[in-house]
Amino acid sequence: MRKRKKLEFRYIVMIILVVVIAFLTIFSYTLKDNRKLNPIEVVIKDSIVTLQKIVYAPIDFIGNIFAKNSQANPSEITESLNQLKAENSELKNQINALKEELNIDYVLTDYEYLNATVVSRNIGHWYNTITIDKGTYNGISEDMAVVNSEGLIGKIINTTNFTSTVKLLSTTDSNSKVSVSIYSGELKLNGLIHSYDYQTDLLVVEGISNSEVVNIGDTVATSGLGGIFPSGILIGYVEDITTDEYDLAKILKVRPNVDYDDINYVTVLKRKDKE
């Protein structure tokens, strides 16, 4: 009888171990950023976002009422819009002329802007990804650039019908290097974002020869190389300059213009179709 109980106990322990191992395997797989979401995950993510929108709808409705009541005089708004339209038309003509002269295919004006709200963020991978409430239904696809009013946020890495996962510029993924340009006076130098220093909240930029001149405060923006991010999106400003162990290349510490700890609203850049 005792022998039988021991055997039963061993079987129970083995079953528990198998379940735990299976759970850990599935859990570790779900942590991969670039993997394709399975149908169950797609349904769950879309359902959560839909419920959030239902809960927040009354709050947004009341907020819109207050916003409408605080609008300026209609005649002043019309006058301002007409002025902006005239300026916009002139700027478009200038940009088209420059693009033709410099043989540039795409600039920021060649993108449509789709606003989105951050609906979730993984605490364990705080600096890696965020989830927004727009997906394939809204025309979003992988590798689209994501920005806010302060600069570059990151890029889309996977989507569901109504949500998208954004890989942040501050990610720990060493394979997600971004090509940047450093504007030092009249010079334009190219480098790569190598990593993100969580202790100082600074981006590390490498790939610049030690013979090049770089100054504290120089502007860092996307270079447009690689075909994912359009050129000219602000990233930050040079805060510290050192060299590698061989004194052959500069290592720049860049203060991001975006606060990656506080991201609530973003804009997805959707490339316009060529006419």
Side-chain angles (χ1 to χ4, degrees), residues 151-214:
L152 182 64
I153 298 293
K155 68 174 183 178
I156 302 293
I157 57 170
N158 59 50
T159 61
T160 67
N161 289 328
F162 304 108
T163 70
S164 297
T165 302
V166 180
K167 174 166 283 188
L168 301 175
L169 199 62
S170 58
T171 180
T172 55
D173 185 357
S174 59
N175 295 321
S176 297
K177 296 181 179 179
V178 178
S179 176
V180 299
S181 293
I182 299 93
Y183 297 89
S184 184
E186 297 182 356
L187 295 176
K188 177 184 175 183
L189 309 172
N190 290 325
L192 287 173
I193 294 178
H194 182 267
S195 58
Y196 184 82
D197 187 338
Y198 302 115
Q199 301 299 321
T200 59
D201 291 328
L202 298 177
L203 292 162
V204 180
V205 175
E206 299 182 355
I208 302 166
S209 171
N210 197 26
S211 62
E212 301 289 358
V213 177
V214 181

Side-chain angles (χ1 to χ4, degrees), residues 1-9:
M1 191 73 175
R2 287 183 180 177
K3 204 168 186 181
R4 184 175 178 183
K5 285 184 178 179
K6 284 183 179 180
L7 287 173
E8 289 178 352
F9 180 74

Side-chain angles (χ1 to χ4, degrees), residues 131-268:
T131 301
I132 60 175
D133 65 345
K134 295 292 189 297
T136 53
Y137 178 80
N138 308 100
I140 293 180
S141 58
E142 292 181 10
D143 287 337
M144 286 185 174
V146 182
V147 301
N148 67 6
S149 60
E150 298 172 331
L152 182 64
I153 298 293
K155 68 174 183 178
I156 302 293
I157 57 170
N158 59 50
T159 61
T160 67
N161 289 328
F162 304 108
T163 70
S164 297
T165 302
V166 180
K167 174 166 283 188
L168 301 175
L169 199 62
S170 58
T171 180
T172 55
D173 185 357
S174 59
N175 295 321
S176 297
K177 296 181 179 179
V178 178
S179 176
V180 299
S181 293
I182 299 93
Y183 297 89
S184 184
E186 297 182 356
L187 295 176
K188 177 184 175 183
L189 309 172
N190 290 325
L192 287 173
I193 294 178
H194 182 267
S195 58
Y196 184 82
D197 187 338
Y198 302 115
Q199 301 299 321
T200 59
D201 291 328
L202 298 177
L203 292 162
V204 180
V205 175
E206 299 182 355
I208 302 166
S209 171
N210 197 26
S211 62
E212 301 289 358
V213 177
V214 181
N215 301 299
I216 301 296
D218 284 347
T219 301
V220 180
T222 52
S223 67
L225 301 176
I228 295 178
F229 302 109
S231 61
I233 302 177
L234 178 63
I235 291 175
Y237 303 92
V238 177
E239 187 165 299
D240 183 60
I241 304 170
T242 57
T243 58
D244 63 7
E245 56 182 330
Y246 305 106
D247 277 339
L248 296 175
K250 293 185 185 296
I251 299 175
L252 309 182
K253 296 291 184 68
V254 176
R255 174 69 62 186
N257 204 49
V258 172
D259 182 0
Y260 291 103
D261 287 323
D262 185 21
I263 303 174
N264 298 304
Y265 304 99
V266 301
T267 299
V268 182

